[in-house]
């Protein structure tokens, strides 16, 4: 089973700041198979990034993804008020298709 | 755009079977991998498994011994059963779909809260 470890667990930032979130895999993941989601309270997750670096339809270009092998990153270039949420990575390599434990981005 | 809606009992007694159905509307069930994902209160997301539109299944090892998923393409729905539930199975349960060739969940239900309690 591929374990995804996200860091940090949480962080407090101000609107306008840049944030970088990490997702580290316990074994190599094909970058085609790595996705990032955003979840707001009381809502289902929505996909932000797939294929490690491709923005999903309608996702603003302040969101970007990068990485390969075991290390992947989600960057938000300038935080907007609506970006304060929990972010998860997920892989679609060998089953099970595990999620990371999430990173909570809070307003400072 | 395909839409999903979960349904089923909100309260299940310990040791009984949790049963949920996900109705698929505004689109075809093929060629999707239909997943169930759960989220205990205040915690992260856990992938439970999938049922492919053809009926094949794949379950997470952590739940494999207690889980059954099935698809009914005639009724445009798929289902989840979790046997011998305990309080640890209390969670929001989401159904979601991953289109073949896409490596992300591109459609989600709104989720339904299931509480295990006597």
């Amino acid at each position: 089973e591929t374990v995804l470890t996200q860091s940090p667990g949480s962080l407090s930032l101000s609107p306008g700041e840049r944030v970088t979130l990490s997702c580290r895999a316990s074994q190599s993941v094909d970058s085609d198979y790595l996705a990032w989601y955003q979840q707001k309270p009381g809502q289902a997750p929505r996909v932000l990034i797939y294929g490690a670096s491709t923005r999903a339809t309608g996702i603003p270009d302040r969101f970007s993804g990068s990485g390969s092998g075991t290390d992947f990153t989600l960057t938000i270039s300038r935080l907007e008020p609506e970006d304060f949420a929990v972010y998860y990575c997920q892989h679609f390599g060998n089953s099970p298709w595990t999620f990371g434990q999430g990173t909570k981005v809070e307003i400072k | 755009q395909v839409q999903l809606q979960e349904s089923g009992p909100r309260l299940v007694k310990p040791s009984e079977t949790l049963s949920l159905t996900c109705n698929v509307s505004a689109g075809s069930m093929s060629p999707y991998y239909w997943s169930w994902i759960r989220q205990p209160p205040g915690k992260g997301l856990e992938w439970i498994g999938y049922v492919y539109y053809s009926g094949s299944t794949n379950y997470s090892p952590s739940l494999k011994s207690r889980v059954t998923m099935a698809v009914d393409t005639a009724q445009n729905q798929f289902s989840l059963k979790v046997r011998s539930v305990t309080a640890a199975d209390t969670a929001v349960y989401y159904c979601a779909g991953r289109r073949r060739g896409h490596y992300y969940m591109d459609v989600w239900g709104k989720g339904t809260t299931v509480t295990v309690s006597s």
Side-chain angles (χ1 to χ4, degrees), chain A residues 37 39 43 50 88 95 97, chain B residues 39 58 94 98 104-105 109:
Chain A
Y37 302 88
Q39 187 182 34
Q43 296 183 17
Y50 61 90
Y88 295 94
S95 175
W97 297 339
Chain B
Q39 186 169 37
N58 190 307
Y94 295 99
R98 190 209 113 190
Y104 55 95
M105 301 293 185

Side-chain angles (χ1 to χ4, degrees), chain B residues 92-105:
Chain B
V92 176
Y93 284 77
Y94 295 99
C95 56
R98 190 209 113 190
R99 189 177 180 88
R100 187 178 66 199
H102 293 187
Y103 296 98
Y104 55 95
M105 301 293 185

Side-chain angles (χ1 to χ4, degrees), chain A:
Chain A
E1 173 175 331
T2 300
V3 176
L4 300 180
T5 301
Q6 292 186 239
S7 61
S10 65
L11 64 171
S12 295
L13 296 165
S14 300
E17 289 195 87
R18 179 186 179 90
V19 59
T20 300
L21 309 181
S22 172
C23 174
R24 180 161 290 178
S26 60
Q27 56 190 292
S28 185
V29 172
D30 187 321
S31 58
D32 286 343
Y33 300 159
L34 195 287
W36 289 92
Y37 302 88
Q38 177 193 66
Q39 187 182 34
K40 296 181 180 179
Q43 296 183 17
R46 68 159 178 164
V47 63
L48 298 174
I49 300 286
Y50 61 90
S53 62
T54 302
R55 276 188 301 278
T57 302
I59 300 304
D61 61 6
R62 64 180 180 273
F63 290 92
S64 62
S66 63
S68 63
T70 60
D71 290 301
F72 298 90
T73 297
L74 174 70
T75 299
I76 310 172
S77 59
R78 281 180 60 87
L79 279 167
E80 296 289 341
E82 61 268 27
D83 299 339
F84 292 93
V86 182
Y87 294 85
Y88 295 94
C89 55
Q90 183 187 22
H91 82 88
F92 290 91
N94 291 334
S95 175
W97 297 339
T98 51
F99 290 91
Q101 83 278 20
T103 292
K104 185 175 186 178
V105 178
E106 298 176 298
I107 298 177
K108 193 171 186 179

Side-chain angles (χ1 to χ4, degrees), chain B residues 2-98:
Chain B
V2 173
Q3 296 180 355
L4 305 181
Q5 177 66 58
E6 303 91 348
S7 62
R10 302 294 185 94
L11 181 64
V12 181
K13 290 182 168 55
S15 80
E16 295 190 346
T17 296
L18 178 161
S19 295
L20 294 174
T21 297
C22 185
N23 188 67
V24 180
S25 60
S28 172
M29 291 201 73
S30 69
Y32 276 86
Y33 295 87
W34 300 107
S35 278
W36 289 95
I37 293 149
R38 69 181 184 179
Q39 186 169 37
K43 296 189 177 181
L45 302 167
E46 179 182 21
W47 180 78
I48 301 171
Y50 72 70
V51 55
Y52 195 39
Y53 76 100
S54 63
S56 62
T57 57
N58 190 307
Y59 305 138
S60 174
S62 64
L63 287 161
K64 187 174 184 176
S65 63
R66 297 193 294 128
V67 164
T68 302
M69 296 182 189
V71 63
D72 184 343
T73 54
Q75 296 290 324
N76 265 23
Q77 60 188 26
F78 59 103
S79 63
L80 168 71
K81 293 186 187 298
V82 182
R83 296 177 291 280
S84 305
V85 297
T86 68
D89 295 305
T90 293
V92 176
Y93 284 77
Y94 295 99
C95 56
R98 190 209 113 190

